[in-house]
Each structure stands twice: as C-alpha cells, then as structure tokens.
Amino acid sequence: MSRMTTRILIVLSVLSIVGIVSTQVYWVRKAYEVRERQFLQSVTKALSEVARRVARPETGVPVGVQVVTLSPSYYLVNLDAPIDPRKLDFYLGAELEIHQILTTFEYGIYDNNAGKIIYENSSRESNGLAQPSKAVKPSASSPYYFVVRFPNQIQYLTQQLDNWILASMIVLLITSFFVYLFYRMLTQKNQSEDQREFINNMTHELQTPIASIKIAADVLSSPKIVEQPERMLKFVRMVQEETQRLQQQVETVLTVARSDKKGAFTLHPVAIDMHELLYRLAERHGDYLHLELDANYSIVQADRMHLVNVLGNLVDNAVKYTPVNPHIRLITRNENSQFVLIVQDNGIGIAPEHQSHIFNAYYRAPDASTHSVKGFGLGLSYVQKIVKAHHWKLTLSSAPGQGSSFGIRIPQPIVQPIRKTSLNLKNDGL
C-alpha cells in the first residue's frame, strides 16, 4: 500500500467518523427539541385549564386568562380574579398528571397590588421563586398572577431520550473500536516497513565486513603469503578488525532485543569519571571531536559498558549525519546537582515531524534511509533505553540544516567538587 493510498484512507476514515458523530449529535439534538416543544405545548394547555378552573367565579362567567412562557421551565399565568391556593395546588397536580407531565414543579402566587408573594410552594433545595420583572409581564393591569417552575425539566426530557442516547453511545463505541483497529493497523504497517528497512540496511552493512573477510581469507590461503610477512600481517589485522566490527553490530542488535524483554535488562552501576571517558573518546575519533568540559564534578553512577556504548552511538550518529567538515562538540557542565552532557554537531539536522520517531527501533528519517548513511536505525533507540534504565533525562534540539544537539542529564549526589590533575588514557574499550 503506497503512502498516498494510506493518506487517502486516513482522510476518508476521519471524514466518515466526523460525519457519523455529527449526524448522531444532530438527531439527538433534534429529538430533544421536539420533546421540548411537546413539553411546552402540554404545559401551556395544562396551565390554561388550571387557570380557568381556579379563577372561575361563582356566576360561571369565565375570566381572562393568559399563559406566558418565560423559559422552557418557567411559566407565568395572568388572570383577573383572586387565586385560592388550595384550588391551585389541587388543579395543578391533577392537570399536569392528565397531560402526562410527570415531573416535580414549584409555584407561587403574586399580588400585583401588594407587590409581593402571597403564597409559595417550592422545594427545600430551591432558592425560591423570584418575582418576574415587569418587562416580561404580559399585562400590568392584571392584579393576580401565578408562576410555575419545573426545576428538573432538562433531566425529565433527557430521560425520555434514553433510547436515543443509548443508540448514540453504541454508535460511538463501535466507531471508537474501528478507530482503534485502524490505528493499530497503521502502527503495524509502519513497524513492518521499519523492520523491512532495517533488514535491508543490516544486509548491506554485513556485506562489507563479510566481503573483506572473504578477500583476506583468500589471500591468506595462498602458499606464497608466508614469504610476505608484512602483507600477511596486514590481512590478519583486516580479519581481526572486520570480525570485531561484525561482533559489535551483532551485539547492538542483541542488546536492543534483550532490552525489549521485561526483566532481561540488568545494569551494574559503578562510579565513573565522565571526563576521562570523553578524553579517550576524543583520542579515538580525532580532530573533529572538540571537548568543552566545564563541569567541576564529573563523577557519575552508571553501567560502564552501556555508558561507553551510549557515548559511542551519539558520536557515531553525529559523524554519520555530518557529511562535510564535521565539527562535533562534547560539552559538560553541572546544573542543579546534575551532570549535563551535550553532544552537538553541525550536520543535516532533523525535521520536527521526525523528531518524535527517531528513538523508535529501526526508524530512520526518509532522508537517512539510503545506504549512503550506514547503520541499522538502532543506535538512538539503544541510547534512549539505556537513559531510561538509568532514570536519566534525554533531550533533543534540532532543525534542518542547523545540526542536532543531544543532551543527557544525570543526577549526582551533593559532594565537594574535585578536579582531576592527571588522566590515565590507556585504552578502555573506546
């Protein structure tokens, strides 16, 4: 599957998911609005009937009644007759039940002439019924009016949409499940591509030392090579160097594989002078490695073998991605009881979209996936695993064309700073 096809599938999937969710939300909202209109109509009819029954004079001549909706849960009823609280309480309960409005309600009776509430029936949890402002009163001439409020109106309507909400939850659950499956499929596809690229790179990397060993073996198998001791020694050294190179490559792959297994990654921390390791690293790599060792105290607790490999991987990575005039800076300093090591290069840099992936095993940025840059794509993954295992902190700062800067922060005990006056620079595996 090509990258373009994958992108098209992702876009179509996202649009489909957004469409499904939006449609479901739209229909639930419409269903709620329909229920709200039905509720308003039923309440208006019920309150009109209540007002006519409560305000009906003894003569039997009906009085003027006006129902005003102040909000979906708050209603005002004007009428031209005194209101009997006992009748109002009875007829409100009866009419609301007849109209299938089975939710709690509160009401209050107001006297315009007195300018106050003369009767109120509200729940204890309520703050009471506020008197409507004059702006919302339909008729200032009406001396009497009462208001009715439904405090649980939203919950009441929502409960009537249980089936809609349940259906929406099922749709969202199924959609989430397919999103997860699609995400896992893309992840597996990317991992498969990375592993395939790793196998191609590993095959290319192993071909060089194997070819060199084969050539050296053919030469050493010649009977006349004994008569040329210097040449024989040269090819013996070639076999040794290429064998060591093969061994290092295999060890890197095995180390990363072991680190992925729970409980199979063991550290043996000891006290190590970081400056001493960096001096030896500089001796090995030559003039392009520049030391700026400003840390007053350089002793850290770490697994020596893995720390040496981490330093080697960071420097090798900096050299590989600095094709012209490499200038690699190794900077140290002490900050807040931490030893800070920075490996800075002047190479091609890393684009922002790749920076979160370069520590994944087998991953190589597209510009670095060609065989012109050697490697398996395991170096930085190994570095991150070692840093995490030591509970250190690894940082990256990079931009295309401006080089990269990898930083490692190592906690140190609070001790008196010591400056070393001499270093034993014998070979220590670097």
Side-chain angles (χ1 to χ4, degrees):
M1 186 183 298
S2 65
R3 292 183 180 272
M4 182 59 67
T5 303
T6 302
R7 290 175 182 174
I8 293 174
L9 285 176
I10 292 174
V11 171
L12 292 177
S13 300
V14 170
L15 292 177
S16 300
I17 292 170
V18 172
I20 292 172
V21 173
S22 300
T23 302
Q24 199 66 27
V25 171
Y26 172 80
W27 283 114
V28 170
R29 182 177 177 181
K30 284 295 182 183
Y32 181 87
E33 291 175 354
V34 170
R35 295 288 185 181
E36 191 174 58
R37 285 195 297 269
Q38 292 175 347
F39 180 84
L40 187 148
Q41 293 172 358
S42 298
V43 169
T44 301
K45 290 180 180 178
L47 293 181
S48 298
E49 186 63 28
V50 168
R52 282 191 291 270
R53 290 178 179 272
V54 169
R56 182 175 297 160
E58 295 180 359
T59 60
V61 179
V63 298
V65 174
Q66 187 177 22
V67 179
V68 179
T69 303
L70 303 179
S71 75
S73 62
Y74 200 18
Y75 300 84
L76 181 148
V77 183
N78 267 320
L79 62 165
D80 299 328
I83 303 172
D84 185 345
R86 289 176 300 178
K87 285 186 177 181
L88 179 62
D89 186 78
F90 173 77
Y91 286 120
L92 268 177
E95 289 297 330
L96 291 177
E97 186 173 354
I98 290 173
H99 288 80
Q100 297 296 309
I101 303 171
L102 306 177
T103 183
T104 57
F105 63 91
E106 303 170 344
Y107 65 90
I109 302 174
Y110 294 84
D111 188 340
N112 248 350
N113 297 326
K116 63 180 181 180
I117 302 174
I118 60 175
Y119 185 82
E120 181 177 1
N121 184 353
S122 60
S123 64
R124 294 180 180 179
E125 294 78 8
S126 173
N127 294 325
L129 292 164
Q131 183 168 349
S133 64
K134 294 181 179 180
V136 299
K137 293 180 187 178
S139 175
S141 61
S142 300
Y144 305 101
Y145 64 90
F146 67 90
V147 294
V148 180
R149 186 168 73 93
F150 300 91
N152 300 323
Q153 182 250 1
I154 295 178
Q155 294 89 326
Y156 173 70
L157 295 181
T158 303
Q159 289 174 358
Q160 297 182 9
L161 299 176
D162 285 346
N163 293 335
W164 282 88
I165 295 175
L166 179 61
S168 299
M169 294 298 295
I170 293 174
V171 170
L172 290 177
L173 183 63
I174 295 174
T175 303
S176 301
F177 177 71
F178 279 104
V179 169
Y180 174 75
L181 287 182
F182 190 68
Y183 170 77
R184 293 297 301 171
M185 182 183 69
L186 289 179
T187 303
Q188 292 293 333
K189 176 180 178 296
N190 293 333
Q191 289 178 352
S192 298
E193 291 179 352
D194 292 341
Q195 290 177 356
R196 183 167 57 251
E197 186 65 30
F198 161 73
I199 293 173
N200 293 336
N201 291 331
M202 184 176 67
T203 303
H204 178 78
E205 288 291 309
L206 295 180
Q207 282 178 345
T208 302
I210 290 174
S212 300
I213 292 174
K214 184 177 183 302
I215 292 173
D218 291 340
V219 174
L220 291 174
S221 65
S222 174
K224 295 183 179 180
I225 194 64
V226 181
E227 301 174 0
Q228 302 173 324
E230 293 183 359
R231 188 182 179 202
M232 182 178 67
L233 184 60
K234 173 184 176 182
F235 283 100
V236 169
R237 283 198 300 267
M238 180 186 295
V239 171
Q240 292 174 338
E241 291 173 356
E242 296 300 331
T243 301
Q244 183 179 6
R245 180 180 171 185
L246 275 174
Q247 184 179 4
Q248 291 175 346
Q249 292 172 338
V250 172
E251 184 63 29
T252 298
V253 176
L254 292 178
T255 300
V256 173
R258 284 196 299 267
S259 67
D260 290 333
K261 297 180 181 179
K262 187 176 182 181
F265 200 46
T266 305
L267 300 176
H268 303 283
V270 296
I272 301 174
D273 188 340
M274 286 289 292
H275 284 178
E276 185 175 348
L277 289 184
L278 295 177
Y279 273 116
R280 292 174 178 173
L281 190 65
E283 281 191 335
R284 173 186 171 187
H285 283 273
D287 296 336
Y288 57 81
L289 209 59
H290 302 272
L291 302 181
E292 300 178 21
L293 310 182
D294 297 326
N296 293 324
Y297 185 67
S298 59
I299 305 300
V300 300
Q301 291 286 329
D303 185 295
R304 191 176 191 85
M305 180 194 73
H306 289 302
L307 179 57
V308 168
N309 290 339
V310 165
L311 296 176
N313 279 333
L314 288 176
V315 172
D316 288 342
N317 189 76
V319 173
K320 284 191 297 185
Y321 295 107
T322 309
V324 180
N325 300 325
H327 183 89
I328 315 300
R329 300 170 63 198
L330 298 182
I331 306 169
T332 68
R333 57 176 177 265
N334 297 117
E335 288 183 2
N336 302 323
S337 301
Q338 292 181 329
F339 179 87
V340 181
L341 169 66
I342 298 175
V343 180
Q344 189 177 85
D345 63 60
N346 59 330
I348 61 176
I350 306 169
E353 61 268 23
H354 301 303
Q355 292 183 15
S356 60
H357 303 290
I358 62 171
F359 296 106
N360 298 337
Y362 316 118
Y363 183 84
R364 304 181 78 191
D367 293 339
S369 295
T370 61
H371 297 314
S372 60
V373 178
K374 297 181 179 180
F376 296 160
L378 293 176
L380 293 180
S381 173
Y382 172 80
V383 169
Q384 186 187 53
K385 291 179 185 297
I386 298 301
V387 168
K388 284 186 176 180
H390 282 87
H391 303 290
W392 301 341
K393 184 178 180 180
L394 178 64
T395 60
L396 166 63
S397 176
S398 182
Q402 300 180 17
S404 302
S405 179
F406 290 88
I408 299 178
R409 290 182 172 270
I410 305 174
Q412 289 179 299
I414 302 177
V415 296
Q416 184 67 28
I418 300 176
R419 288 187 180 272
K420 298 184 73 68
T421 56
S422 63
L423 291 172
N424 180 13
L425 300 180
K426 293 181 181 180
N427 186 8
D428 189 39
L430 280 170

